[in-house]
Amino acid sequence: MRFHLPPAELRWLKSAAAESNRPLQALIQRRLNREPLQYILGTQPFGPLSLKTCRPTLIPRPETEDWVLTFSEHLSKYFSPLPSRPLTLLDLGTGTGCIPLLLCHLWPNSSLVATGVDISHAAVHLANHNAALCGISPSSFTAHLSDFIDSDFPNMQAIKPPYDILTSNPPYITASDYLQLSDDIAKYEDPIALIGGYDGLDYYRAIARLIARDGFLARRAVIALEVGHNQGAAVCDLIRPTGFLPTVWKDPWGKERTVIAHRR
Ligand code: GLN
């Protein structure tokens, strides 16, 4: 099927070509090849932040932006009274760093110290670059190369449990749904950031094992996990045996989007 460029996209491409001194025709051709606009423009708004986007790291989605903004508003409720020390956060599969960077931005003055991990070199580099672009210092956020699904995770000094907050937007698409994805996602975004195994739940199983580990999360810890639209119940079932009480938040489009959990 032929793909027509909407006028607004053409305007964005024109200004990107002018700003970066790139030939407009080349940018148009990339878009006609179904490359996501965010990779061509190199940027994606996320709340008040403007994040750099770069192939093949997952482009932050509006659904993620929405729950992170809501979650930030709820944080003070989970931690009332707030401790006098900074809250600590670990983000698993950090990608562009969008989740911890937005939370650090919304919780300024070092009230939050966040760490991100990702299996992809490109993502780790991009997340640290985004932190610098957003004016968030390495003492507030750093991303590290690590595979959190590995049984010996965390095998590095940079990971210092216990954490107050655990966040993740892990790969959750089932192997068969991946085959149905549109070209602009499937051809350009890293499959490692998207496919969560046969039933899409592999990474939640690894996360549940981490949560269950003694001393990994603080006594009053809170967990926020993005899920696929039909995974809420299954992820709650994985979390419940760890002693955390899960609830499912829907996104503005009425779909299950986030499992939030705190201790009973
Ligand atoms: N929401 C993403 C998509 O629909 C998937 C992100 C993920 O697997 N974590 O493409």
Side-chain angles (χ1 to χ4, degrees):
M1 199 175 36
R2 209 169 132 59
F3 175 62
H4 291 282
L5 213 54
E9 291 199 11
L10 188 59
R11 278 200 301 279
W12 281 324
L13 291 177
K14 273 185 185 161
S15 54
E19 273 168 30
S20 62
N21 240 336
R22 290 180 290 175
L24 175 62
Q25 203 46 49
L27 302 192
I28 291 175
Q29 195 50 55
R30 283 171 66 182
R31 188 61 192 123
L32 291 175
N33 290 342
R34 306 300 302 263
E35 182 167 345
L37 194 62
Q38 292 92 333
Y39 284 153
I40 306 172
L41 301 178
T43 168
Q44 165 73 19
F46 198 73
L49 303 178
S50 177
L51 297 176
K52 185 174 152 73
T53 44
C54 197
R55 272 170 77 175
T57 305
L58 190 80
I59 298 164
R61 307 290 203 261
E63 293 89 338
T64 310
E65 177 184 6
D66 179 77
W67 74 252
V68 177
L69 289 169
T70 310
F71 182 61
S72 172
E73 285 170 20
H74 281 68
L75 269 184
S76 51
K77 182 184 78 187
Y78 296 120
F79 296 101
S80 170
L82 273 173
S84 48
R85 57 166 180 86
L87 293 172
T88 57
L89 178 149
L90 180 64
D91 185 47
L92 301 171
T94 203
T96 56
C98 59
I99 298 172
L101 291 177
L102 181 52
L103 291 170
C104 283
H105 176 85
L106 296 169
W107 283 71
N109 307 324
S110 311
S111 50
L112 191 66
V113 172
T115 305
V117 293
D118 205 288
I119 192 180
S120 148
H121 279 276
V124 169
H125 181 77
L126 187 59
N128 285 323
H129 185 68
N130 269 324
L133 288 177
C134 297
I136 291 165
S137 73
S139 59
S140 292
F141 173 78
T142 337
H144 301 272
L145 189 70
S146 191
D147 185 3
F148 73 83
I149 208 165
D150 247 18
S151 55
D152 68 344
F153 176 85
N155 50 355
M156 51 172 21
Q157 288 214 324
I159 311 295
K160 294 188 180 75
Y163 285 96
D164 298 307
I165 307 163
L166 184 74
T167 56
S168 185
N169 174 15
Y172 56 65
I173 296 185
T174 65
S176 60
D177 282 352
Y178 181 75
L179 300 174
Q180 315 291 326
L181 287 180
S182 61
D183 267 5
D184 47 352
I185 297 180
K187 266 183 20 197
Y188 293 95
E189 292 189 288
D190 199 342
I192 285 180
L194 291 163
I195 304 173
Y198 174 72
D199 62 356
L201 299 174
D202 281 2
Y203 291 86
Y204 301 106
R205 290 189 192 93
I207 291 171
R209 283 197 295 274
L210 279 177
I211 296 171
R213 224 184 261 174
D214 229 13
F216 194 74
L217 293 180
R219 196 179 50 81
R220 285 198 297 167
V222 56
I223 300 162
L225 308 175
E226 182 167 323
V227 296
H229 64 92
N230 52 5
Q231 292 173 327
V235 173
C236 287
D237 286 348
L238 288 170
I239 300 298
R240 240 176 249 113
T242 66
F244 278 77
L245 190 67
T247 45
V248 181
W249 286 359
K250 287 192 172 169
D251 68 19
W253 297 268
K255 292 186 172 169
E256 293 182 348
R257 187 54 61 199
T258 323
V259 169
I260 303 288
H262 53 82
R263 285 205 211 268
R264 287 171 207 276

